[in-house]
Amino acid sequence: MRHPHHSLRERVGRSLGLFAGVVLVGSLGSSCNLDPVHRAGVNNLGDEQGGLYPPESAYHRPGEPCALCHSAAGPAGLQFVLAGTIFWGPDRYDRRVNKAYVRIGGPEKTTKCFVTNCNGNFFVRSEDYKNLKFPLLVSVERVIDPGGPGPTAEKSIRVRRMSSHIGREASCATCHILGLRDFGSPGQIRLYDTESEVDTAKPPIPAQCPNVDEPPLTQCPEDRL
Amino acid sequence: MSAIRVAAVMGVVGTAVGLLALAACASSPDENRLTVVITPDFDTYVASVDAYLTRRCGSLDCHGQPGRAYRIYSREGYRLYTIQDGSLVSGQQPTQAEEQRANFQALVSLEPEEMSRLMGRQGENPNQLLFLRKPLKIERHKGGPAMAEDDPGYRCVVAWLQIPVVQGDGTPIPPAQRAKLSTNALRNCATASDFP
Protein backbone atom coordinates (compact mmCIF):
# COMPACT_ATOMS: atom_id res chain seq x y z
CA MET A 1 0.00 0.00 0.00
CA ARG A 2 1.28 3.46 -0.81
CA HIS A 3 0.64 6.61 1.13
CA PRO A 4 1.48 9.52 -1.15
CA HIS A 5 0.58 12.06 1.54
CA HIS A 6 3.23 10.73 3.90
CA SER A 7 6.55 12.46 3.70
CA LEU A 8 9.54 10.43 2.65
CA ARG A 9 11.12 10.80 6.05
CA GLU A 10 8.01 9.43 7.70
CA ARG A 11 8.01 6.45 5.42
CA VAL A 12 11.69 5.77 5.95
CA GLY A 13 11.19 6.05 9.68
CA ARG A 14 8.33 3.61 9.50
CA SER A 15 10.27 1.01 7.57
CA LEU A 16 13.24 1.42 9.86
CA GLY A 17 10.93 0.69 12.76
CA LEU A 18 9.68 -2.40 10.99
CA PHE A 19 13.26 -3.44 10.31
CA ALA A 20 14.18 -2.99 13.97
CA GLY A 21 11.24 -5.24 14.80
CA VAL A 22 12.52 -7.91 12.47
CA VAL A 23 16.01 -7.68 13.94
CA LEU A 24 14.58 -8.04 17.40
CA VAL A 25 12.58 -11.12 16.44
CA GLY A 26 15.68 -12.45 14.69
CA SER A 27 17.78 -12.16 17.77
CA LEU A 28 15.16 -13.82 19.93
CA GLY A 29 15.48 -17.25 18.36
CA SER A 30 18.23 -18.59 16.18
CA SER A 31 15.59 -20.23 14.00
CA CYS A 32 14.55 -16.84 12.66
CA ASN A 33 17.70 -16.43 10.64
CA LEU A 34 17.96 -13.21 8.66
CA ASP A 35 19.66 -14.79 5.66
CA PRO A 36 16.74 -15.19 3.25
CA VAL A 37 18.45 -17.93 1.25
CA HIS A 38 19.13 -20.00 4.33
CA ARG A 39 15.65 -19.39 5.69
CA ALA A 40 14.03 -20.39 2.40
CA GLY A 41 16.15 -23.54 2.29
CA VAL A 42 15.06 -24.53 5.77
CA ASN A 43 11.41 -23.65 5.15
CA ASN A 44 11.41 -25.64 1.92
CA LEU A 45 12.07 -28.80 3.87
CA GLY A 46 8.68 -28.47 5.53
CA ASP A 47 7.48 -29.64 8.92
CA GLU A 48 8.60 -32.71 10.79
CA GLN A 49 6.61 -35.85 10.00
CA GLY A 50 5.91 -37.18 13.46
CA GLY A 51 4.21 -40.28 12.06
CA LEU A 52 7.38 -41.41 10.33
CA TYR A 53 10.04 -40.75 12.97
CA PRO A 54 10.43 -39.21 16.42
CA PRO A 55 10.70 -35.47 15.71
CA GLU A 56 13.82 -33.50 16.56
CA SER A 57 15.84 -36.57 17.36
CA ALA A 58 18.78 -38.44 15.87
CA TYR A 59 16.22 -40.41 13.81
CA HIS A 60 14.41 -37.48 12.27
CA ARG A 61 14.26 -36.17 8.72
CA PRO A 62 16.12 -39.04 7.03
CA GLY A 63 17.41 -38.11 3.58
CA GLU A 64 17.28 -34.39 4.28
CA PRO A 65 20.31 -32.05 4.30
CA CYS A 66 21.02 -32.29 8.03
CA ALA A 67 23.74 -29.67 8.20
CA LEU A 68 21.55 -27.02 6.63
CA CYS A 69 19.76 -26.78 9.97
CA HIS A 70 22.53 -28.22 12.11
CA SER A 71 24.86 -25.32 11.35
CA ALA A 72 25.81 -21.98 12.85
CA ALA A 73 22.85 -20.47 11.01
CA GLY A 74 20.41 -22.77 12.81
CA PRO A 75 17.67 -23.50 13.59
CA ALA A 76 19.12 -26.59 15.33
CA GLY A 77 21.44 -26.09 18.27
CA LEU A 78 23.61 -29.10 17.58
CA GLN A 79 26.08 -28.53 14.73
CA PHE A 80 27.34 -31.15 12.29
CA VAL A 81 30.41 -31.17 10.07
CA LEU A 82 29.12 -34.17 8.10
CA ALA A 83 25.79 -35.97 8.12
CA GLY A 84 23.47 -37.99 5.97
CA THR A 85 21.26 -41.01 5.43
CA ILE A 86 21.91 -44.29 3.65
CA PHE A 87 19.16 -46.08 1.68
CA TRP A 88 19.02 -49.58 0.28
CA GLY A 89 17.60 -48.63 -3.11
CA PRO A 90 17.33 -45.59 -5.35
CA ASP A 91 13.61 -44.80 -4.91
CA ARG A 92 12.02 -46.08 -1.74
CA TYR A 93 12.14 -43.75 1.23
CA ASP A 94 11.13 -46.42 3.73
CA ARG A 95 14.03 -48.83 3.17
CA ARG A 96 17.03 -47.37 4.91
CA VAL A 97 20.24 -49.00 6.04
CA ASN A 98 20.88 -49.32 9.75
CA LYS A 99 24.36 -50.06 11.09
CA ALA A 100 26.00 -49.11 7.82
CA TYR A 101 29.67 -48.19 8.03
CA VAL A 102 30.26 -44.81 6.43
CA ARG A 103 33.96 -44.42 5.78
CA ILE A 104 35.47 -41.04 5.07
CA GLY A 105 38.94 -40.61 3.59
CA GLY A 106 40.72 -37.30 3.94
CA PRO A 107 43.43 -35.75 1.76
CA GLU A 108 46.22 -36.73 4.13
CA LYS A 109 45.24 -40.39 3.87
CA THR A 110 43.40 -40.22 7.17
CA THR A 111 40.26 -42.29 7.49
CA LYS A 112 37.32 -42.17 9.84
CA CYS A 113 34.34 -44.45 10.09
CA PHE A 114 30.83 -43.71 11.34
CA VAL A 115 27.82 -45.98 11.84
CA THR A 116 24.23 -45.24 10.82
CA ASN A 117 21.45 -45.56 13.38
CA CYS A 118 18.28 -47.59 12.97
CA ASN A 119 16.76 -44.95 10.68
CA GLY A 120 19.77 -44.89 8.36
CA ASN A 121 21.06 -41.55 9.69
CA PHE A 122 24.61 -40.76 10.74
CA PHE A 123 26.04 -37.47 11.92
CA VAL A 124 29.47 -36.13 12.81
CA ARG A 125 30.14 -33.25 15.19
CA SER A 126 33.43 -31.37 14.93
CA GLU A 127 34.73 -33.06 18.08
CA ASP A 128 34.13 -36.46 16.44
CA TYR A 129 36.46 -35.60 13.57
CA LYS A 130 39.09 -33.16 14.70
CA ASN A 131 41.41 -33.30 11.70
CA LEU A 132 38.64 -33.10 9.11
CA LYS A 133 39.95 -31.60 5.90
CA PHE A 134 38.38 -31.48 2.47
CA PRO A 135 38.28 -32.95 -0.15
CA LEU A 136 36.89 -36.25 1.11
CA LEU A 137 36.40 -39.67 -0.37
CA VAL A 138 33.45 -41.73 0.81
CA SER A 139 32.42 -45.35 0.90
CA VAL A 140 29.51 -47.14 2.51
CA GLU A 141 29.39 -50.75 3.65
CA ARG A 142 26.74 -52.94 5.23
CA VAL A 143 27.83 -56.27 6.70
CA ILE A 144 25.72 -59.28 7.63
CA ASP A 145 25.47 -58.72 11.37
CA PRO A 146 27.34 -55.55 12.35
CA GLY A 147 29.03 -55.98 15.71
CA GLY A 148 27.47 -59.41 16.09
CA PRO A 149 29.05 -62.69 17.12
CA GLY A 150 29.89 -65.44 14.67
CA PRO A 151 32.54 -65.77 12.02
CA THR A 152 30.48 -64.23 9.20
CA ALA A 153 29.01 -61.33 11.17
CA GLU A 154 31.35 -58.78 9.64
CA LYS A 155 31.15 -60.18 6.14
CA SER A 156 30.04 -57.60 3.63
CA ILE A 157 26.55 -57.64 2.12
CA ARG A 158 27.28 -54.63 -0.02
CA VAL A 159 29.93 -51.93 -0.42
CA ARG A 160 29.49 -48.79 -2.50
CA ARG A 161 32.10 -46.20 -3.16
CA MET A 162 31.58 -42.68 -4.35
CA SER A 163 34.05 -42.18 -7.18
CA SER A 164 33.98 -38.38 -7.05
CA HIS A 165 34.72 -36.54 -3.85
CA ILE A 166 33.14 -34.04 -1.52
CA GLY A 167 34.67 -30.62 -2.08
CA ARG A 168 33.34 -28.88 0.99
CA GLU A 169 29.71 -29.78 1.65
CA ALA A 170 28.68 -31.13 5.06
CA SER A 171 25.32 -32.66 4.12
CA CYS A 172 25.35 -35.69 1.86
CA ALA A 173 21.79 -34.78 0.83
CA THR A 174 22.76 -31.41 -0.62
CA CYS A 175 24.06 -33.39 -3.60
CA HIS A 176 22.11 -36.59 -3.00
CA ILE A 177 18.73 -34.92 -3.25
CA LEU A 178 15.80 -37.00 -2.06
CA GLY A 179 13.52 -38.05 -4.92
CA LEU A 180 15.62 -36.30 -7.56
CA ARG A 181 17.89 -38.27 -9.83
CA ASP A 182 18.76 -36.00 -12.69
CA PHE A 183 21.43 -33.79 -14.26
CA GLY A 184 22.13 -32.06 -10.97
CA SER A 185 21.86 -34.89 -8.44
CA PRO A 186 22.72 -38.58 -8.24
CA GLY A 187 19.64 -39.14 -6.03
CA GLN A 188 19.49 -40.68 -2.58
CA ILE A 189 22.56 -42.60 -1.41
CA ARG A 190 21.92 -46.24 -2.13
CA LEU A 191 23.56 -49.61 -1.86
CA TYR A 192 21.66 -51.10 -4.83
CA ASP A 193 20.84 -49.40 -8.10
CA THR A 194 17.35 -50.83 -8.47
CA GLU A 195 14.60 -51.55 -6.00
CA SER A 196 14.12 -55.03 -7.45
CA GLU A 197 17.72 -55.88 -6.52
CA VAL A 198 16.81 -54.83 -3.00
CA ASP A 199 13.75 -57.10 -3.12
CA THR A 200 15.96 -60.02 -4.08
CA ALA A 201 18.62 -59.25 -1.49
CA LYS A 202 15.99 -59.04 1.31
CA PRO A 203 18.14 -56.81 3.45
CA PRO A 204 17.52 -56.51 7.19
CA ILE A 205 15.32 -53.54 8.02
CA PRO A 206 14.60 -52.94 11.71
CA ALA A 207 10.92 -53.34 12.57
CA GLN A 208 11.16 -50.69 15.23
CA CYS A 209 13.21 -47.54 15.47
CA PRO A 210 14.35 -46.49 17.98
CA ASN A 211 14.31 -49.78 19.83
CA VAL A 212 15.21 -49.61 23.52
CA ASP A 213 15.95 -53.32 23.61
CA GLU A 214 18.67 -53.02 21.04
CA PRO A 215 21.60 -50.85 22.05
CA PRO A 216 22.86 -48.77 19.12
CA LEU A 217 26.10 -49.73 17.44
CA THR A 218 28.49 -46.80 17.43
CA GLN A 219 31.81 -48.20 16.29
CA CYS A 220 33.09 -49.67 13.07
CA PRO A 221 35.14 -52.88 13.30
CA GLU A 222 38.43 -50.99 12.90
CA ASP A 223 37.61 -48.80 15.92
CA ARG A 224 36.54 -51.54 18.30
CA LEU A 225 38.96 -52.51 21.01
CA MET B 1 62.82 -13.81 -28.18
CA SER B 2 60.11 -13.71 -30.79
CA ALA B 3 57.62 -14.98 -28.21
CA ILE B 4 58.26 -11.81 -26.29
CA ARG B 5 57.63 -9.75 -29.42
CA VAL B 6 54.26 -11.42 -29.88
CA ALA B 7 53.42 -10.66 -26.29
CA ALA B 8 54.33 -7.03 -26.89
CA VAL B 9 52.12 -6.94 -29.99
CA MET B 10 49.31 -8.46 -27.99
CA GLY B 11 49.85 -5.77 -25.40
CA VAL B 12 49.38 -3.10 -28.06
CA VAL B 13 46.21 -4.85 -29.22
CA GLY B 14 45.04 -4.93 -25.62
CA THR B 15 45.61 -1.20 -25.25
CA ALA B 16 43.80 -0.56 -28.50
CA VAL B 17 40.85 -2.57 -27.26
CA GLY B 18 40.92 -0.58 -24.06
CA LEU B 19 40.84 2.70 -25.97
CA LEU B 20 38.06 1.33 -28.12
CA ALA B 21 36.06 0.52 -25.04
CA LEU B 22 36.42 4.12 -23.89
CA ALA B 23 35.42 5.44 -27.29
CA ALA B 24 32.45 3.10 -27.32
CA CYS B 25 30.65 5.42 -24.93
CA ALA B 26 30.18 7.83 -27.78
CA SER B 27 30.03 5.80 -30.97
CA SER B 28 27.58 3.07 -31.84
CA PRO B 29 28.83 -0.49 -31.40
CA ASP B 30 30.61 -2.09 -34.32
CA GLU B 31 28.66 -5.24 -34.98
CA ASN B 32 31.35 -6.64 -37.21
CA ARG B 33 34.03 -6.50 -34.58
CA LEU B 34 35.21 -9.88 -33.45
CA THR B 35 37.41 -10.75 -30.53
CA VAL B 36 39.67 -13.55 -31.61
CA VAL B 37 40.87 -15.68 -28.75
CA ILE B 38 43.98 -17.76 -29.12
CA THR B 39 43.04 -20.95 -27.34
CA PRO B 40 45.23 -23.71 -25.95
CA ASP B 41 45.29 -27.09 -27.67
CA PHE B 42 41.81 -28.58 -27.55
CA ASP B 43 42.70 -32.19 -28.36
CA THR B 44 45.22 -32.38 -25.53
CA TYR B 45 42.68 -30.83 -23.19
CA VAL B 46 40.16 -33.55 -24.04
CA ALA B 47 42.65 -36.40 -23.96
CA SER B 48 44.58 -35.53 -20.81
CA VAL B 49 43.38 -32.51 -18.86
CA ASP B 50 39.58 -32.60 -18.67
CA ALA B 51 39.52 -35.73 -16.52
CA TYR B 52 41.69 -34.11 -13.88
CA LEU B 53 39.86 -30.78 -13.79
CA THR B 54 36.40 -32.31 -13.69
CA ARG B 55 37.46 -34.51 -10.83
CA ARG B 56 39.40 -31.90 -8.89
CA CYS B 57 37.13 -28.93 -9.41
CA GLY B 58 33.81 -30.21 -10.76
CA SER B 59 32.05 -31.74 -7.74
CA LEU B 60 28.48 -30.53 -7.28
CA ASP B 61 29.40 -28.44 -4.26
CA CYS B 62 32.16 -26.59 -6.14
CA HIS B 63 32.37 -25.81 -9.85
CA GLY B 64 29.74 -28.37 -10.84
CA GLN B 65 27.17 -25.62 -10.43
CA PRO B 66 25.27 -23.64 -13.03
CA GLY B 67 25.99 -20.27 -11.45
CA ARG B 68 29.76 -20.41 -11.74
CA ALA B 69 31.73 -18.65 -14.47
CA TYR B 70 34.07 -21.64 -14.49
CA ARG B 71 31.27 -24.18 -14.64
CA ILE B 72 32.15 -27.84 -15.12
CA TYR B 73 30.10 -30.70 -16.52
CA SER B 74 31.04 -34.30 -15.90
CA ARG B 75 29.83 -37.74 -15.02
CA GLU B 76 30.80 -37.10 -11.44
CA GLY B 77 28.88 -33.90 -11.00
CA TYR B 78 26.66 -31.59 -12.95
CA ARG B 79 25.38 -32.68 -16.36
CA LEU B 80 24.82 -30.76 -19.56
CA TYR B 81 21.09 -31.30 -19.87
CA THR B 82 20.56 -29.71 -23.24
CA ILE B 83 21.99 -32.73 -24.99
CA GLN B 84 20.48 -36.19 -25.44
CA ASP B 85 17.03 -34.84 -24.60
CA GLY B 86 18.16 -33.99 -21.11
CA SER B 87 18.74 -37.62 -20.28
CA LEU B 88 22.21 -37.31 -18.78
CA VAL B 89 22.09 -38.14 -15.10
CA SER B 90 24.62 -37.19 -12.48
CA GLY B 91 26.86 -40.15 -11.65
CA GLN B 92 25.71 -42.32 -14.55
CA GLN B 93 26.67 -41.94 -18.22
CA PRO B 94 30.34 -41.14 -18.87
CA THR B 95 31.36 -37.54 -19.50
CA GLN B 96 30.36 -36.68 -23.07
CA ALA B 97 32.31 -34.90 -25.80
CA GLU B 98 29.83 -31.98 -25.69
CA GLU B 99 30.48 -31.63 -21.99
CA GLN B 100 34.23 -31.58 -22.48
CA ARG B 101 33.86 -28.91 -25.12
CA ALA B 102 31.67 -26.83 -22.82
CA ASN B 103 34.24 -27.21 -20.03
CA PHE B 104 37.02 -26.08 -22.36
CA GLN B 105 34.97 -23.07 -23.44
CA ALA B 106 34.20 -22.11 -19.86
CA LEU B 107 37.86 -22.27 -18.97
CA VAL B 108 39.05 -20.25 -21.96
CA SER B 109 36.34 -17.61 -21.66
CA LEU B 110 37.14 -16.84 -18.03
CA GLU B 111 39.76 -14.39 -19.26
CA PRO B 112 39.90 -14.57 -23.05
CA GLU B 113 42.43 -11.76 -23.48
CA GLU B 114 44.69 -13.09 -20.75
CA MET B 115 44.49 -16.55 -22.32
CA SER B 116 45.39 -15.11 -25.72
CA ARG B 117 48.38 -13.35 -24.24
CA LEU B 118 49.49 -16.52 -22.49
CA MET B 119 49.25 -18.45 -25.76
CA GLY B 120 51.09 -15.62 -27.51
CA ARG B 121 54.01 -16.06 -25.15
CA GLN B 122 53.76 -19.85 -25.52
CA GLY B 123 52.66 -20.56 -22.00
CA GLU B 124 55.38 -18.65 -20.24
CA ASN B 125 54.40 -17.42 -16.76
CA PRO B 126 51.06 -19.27 -16.61
CA ASN B 127 50.23 -18.03 -13.12
CA GLN B 128 48.97 -14.80 -14.67
CA LEU B 129 45.75 -16.69 -15.33
CA LEU B 130 43.00 -16.27 -12.76
CA PHE B 131 42.27 -19.92 -13.49
CA LEU B 132 45.57 -20.80 -11.75
CA ARG B 133 45.79 -17.89 -9.35
CA LYS B 134 42.63 -18.98 -7.58
CA PRO B 135 43.44 -22.64 -6.83
CA LEU B 136 47.01 -21.69 -5.93
CA LYS B 137 45.55 -19.15 -3.51
CA ILE B 138 47.54 -16.30 -4.99
CA GLU B 139 44.12 -14.75 -5.14
CA ARG B 140 41.13 -15.30 -2.85
CA HIS B 141 39.41 -18.58 -3.63
CA LYS B 142 36.26 -19.64 -1.86
CA GLY B 143 37.21 -23.27 -2.31
CA GLY B 144 40.56 -22.78 -0.60
CA PRO B 145 43.81 -24.08 -2.04
CA ALA B 146 43.04 -26.66 -4.71
CA MET B 147 46.40 -26.96 -6.47
CA ALA B 148 50.03 -26.53 -5.56
CA GLU B 149 52.90 -25.83 -7.91
CA ASP B 150 54.50 -29.16 -7.14
CA ASP B 151 51.46 -31.35 -7.55
CA PRO B 152 50.88 -33.47 -10.66
CA GLY B 153 47.60 -31.74 -11.49
CA TYR B 154 49.18 -28.31 -11.71
CA ARG B 155 52.04 -29.72 -13.76
CA CYS B 156 49.61 -31.44 -16.08
CA VAL B 157 47.70 -28.20 -16.68
CA VAL B 158 50.84 -26.14 -17.23
CA ALA B 159 52.33 -28.69 -19.61
CA TRP B 160 49.15 -28.41 -21.63
CA LEU B 161 49.17 -24.60 -21.59
CA GLN B 162 52.77 -24.65 -22.79
CA ILE B 163 52.05 -26.56 -25.97
CA PRO B 164 52.71 -23.85 -28.58
CA VAL B 165 49.65 -23.02 -30.65
CA VAL B 166 51.21 -20.04 -32.42
CA GLN B 167 54.73 -19.58 -33.69
CA GLY B 168 56.98 -16.89 -32.24
CA ASP B 169 55.84 -14.45 -34.91
CA GLY B 170 52.20 -15.17 -34.18
CA THR B 171 51.53 -17.55 -37.08
CA PRO B 172 49.02 -20.18 -35.95
CA ILE B 173 50.26 -23.75 -35.74
CA PRO B 174 47.65 -26.15 -37.17
CA PRO B 175 46.42 -28.64 -34.52
CA ALA B 176 47.89 -31.63 -36.34
CA GLN B 177 51.39 -30.12 -36.23
CA ARG B 178 51.41 -29.20 -32.58
CA ALA B 179 53.66 -30.79 -29.99
CA LYS B 180 52.35 -33.60 -27.81
CA LEU B 181 52.58 -33.90 -24.04
CA SER B 182 55.81 -35.51 -22.83
CA THR B 183 55.76 -38.91 -21.15
CA ASN B 184 56.33 -37.15 -17.86
CA ALA B 185 53.43 -34.78 -18.39
CA LEU B 186 51.18 -37.66 -19.45
CA ARG B 187 52.06 -39.48 -16.26
CA ASN B 188 51.28 -36.38 -14.20
CA CYS B 189 47.91 -36.04 -15.90
CA ALA B 190 47.08 -39.68 -15.27
CA THR B 191 48.11 -39.49 -11.60
CA ALA B 192 46.15 -36.27 -11.13
CA SER B 193 43.02 -37.77 -12.64
CA ASP B 194 43.08 -40.42 -9.93
CA PHE B 195 42.81 -37.68 -7.34
CA PRO B 196 42.50 -37.62 -4.44
Side-chain angles (χ1 to χ4, degrees):
Chain A
M1 234 215 293
R2 297 194 52 189
H3 304 276
H5 53 280
H6 285 158
S7 74
L8 179 65
R9 193 199 285 160
E10 234 177 312
R11 265 187 286 154
V12 171
R14 194 186 290 253
S15 37
L16 275 179
L18 189 67
F19 181 66
V22 171
V23 171
L24 188 69
V25 170
S27 53
L28 284 179
S30 58
S31 56
C32 300
N33 188 283
L34 277 180
D35 175 350
V37 177
H38 179 81
R39 202 172 43 217
V42 172
N43 289 345
N44 268 344
L45 295 176
D47 294 333
E48 303 260 342
Q49 297 187 271
L52 298 180
Y53 45 74
E56 303 202 345
S57 71
Y59 313 100
H60 79 151
R61 297 184 175 269
E64 296 186 25
C66 320
L68 179 69
C69 301
H70 290 272
S71 65
L78 193 62
Q79 292 184 25
F80 300 150
V81 292
L82 283 175
T85 309
I86 313 297
F87 295 81
W88 282 105
D91 302 314
R92 278 180 61 172
Y93 179 69
D94 59 339
R95 297 206 284 208
R96 293 179 293 261
V97 189
N98 71 333
K99 299 183 185 177
Y101 303 147
V102 180
R103 292 191 173 89
I104 311 285
E108 281 145 12
K109 313 265 180 235
T110 57
T111 54
K112 270 279 200 187
C113 184
F114 303 94
V115 188
T116 59
N117 65 26
C118 56
N119 239 2
N121 285 351
F122 77 97
F123 54 90
V124 182
R125 296 155 301 178
S126 59
E127 62 264 35
D128 302 327
Y129 199 160
K130 291 203 183 68
N131 60 348
L132 172 68
K133 243 188 222 163
F134 292 92
L136 303 173
L137 286 173
V138 189
S139 74
V140 181
E141 180 183 23
R142 179 59 158 81
V143 299
I144 293 174
D145 181 17
T152 59
E154 296 292 341
K155 224 171 116 8
S156 190
I157 299 179
R158 194 83 180 154
V159 189
R160 286 297 294 264
R161 221 171 290 282
M162 175 161 140
S163 62
S164 57
H165 62 262
I166 304 178
R168 61 167 183 232
E169 174 58 46
S171 297
C172 306
T174 301
C175 297
H176 291 274
I177 300 170
L178 210 50
L180 194 69
R181 201 157 60 251
D182 70 357
F183 57 86
S185 170
Q188 67 192 30
I189 301 166
R190 59 195 179 271
L191 292 185
Y192 291 95
D193 278 334
T194 61
E195 291 295 340
S196 58
E197 281 176 272
V198 183
D199 295 339
T200 314
K202 292 196 191 60
I205 293 168
Q208 207 185 330
C209 178
N211 181 354
V212 284
D213 298 328
E214 204 185 321
L217 183 72
T218 54
Q219 284 184 318
C220 296
E222 58 264 46
D223 298 325
R224 289 174 210 148
L225 295 175
Chain B
M1 272 301 251
S2 37
I4 293 170
R5 203 168 58 227
V6 173
V9 170
M10 304 290 302
V12 171
V13 172
T15 316
V17 170
L19 287 176
L20 236 141
L22 282 179
C25 302
S27 58
S28 55
D30 174 5
E31 58 199 34
N32 295 318
R33 209 186 113 229
L34 202 68
T35 305
V36 178
V37 183
I38 311 177
T39 58
D41 189 68
F42 178 67
D43 296 336
T44 305
Y45 173 81
V46 169
S48 306
V49 187
D50 185 73
Y52 160 61
L53 291 174
T54 55
R55 197 156 168 64
R56 183 69 187 99
C57 321
S59 57
L60 288 166
D61 52 352
C62 295
H63 287 266
Q65 290 184 356
R68 305 225 169 260
Y70 182 40
R71 177 267 316 109
I72 296 174
Y73 297 112
S74 71
R75 173 193 177 273
E76 288 158 339
Y78 190 54
R79 306 312 304 260
L80 181 59
Y81 60 90
T82 50
I83 54 173
Q84 292 194 356
D85 306 321
S87 60
L88 290 181
V89 175
S90 176
Q92 295 186 15
Q93 307 84 348
T95 304
Q96 311 282 306
E98 293 94 323
E99 295 182 311
Q100 295 175 321
R101 179 170 290 281
N103 295 342
F104 177 82
Q105 286 166 347
L107 196 169
V108 167
S109 52
L110 282 173
E111 290 180 307
E113 289 85 0
E114 200 61 58
M115 183 59 93
S116 296
R117 266 178 236 131
L118 179 66
M119 290 302 109
R121 56 178 192 264
Q122 305 191 326
E124 201 181 302
N125 202 359
N127 292 359
Q128 293 288 335
L129 282 186
L130 188 66
F131 168 72
L132 291 174
R133 298 175 69 77
K134 288 248 179 189
L136 291 172
K137 283 228 72 180
I138 298 171
E139 216 152 300
R140 200 198 80 94
H141 183 224
K142 193 173 172 191
M147 285 183 192
E149 292 198 349
D150 56 3
D151 73 30
Y154 174 85
R155 290 179 175 176
C156 164
V157 170
V158 169
W160 162 60
L161 292 173
Q162 289 182 338
I163 293 176
V165 295
V166 291
Q167 250 132 39
D169 61 1
T171 319
I173 304 173
Q177 289 164 27
R178 291 177 191 165
K180 302 270 171 269
L181 287 182
S182 69
T183 321
N184 236 343
L186 284 171
R187 195 180 327 110
N188 279 331
C189 292
T191 310
S193 309
D194 277 342
F195 173 89

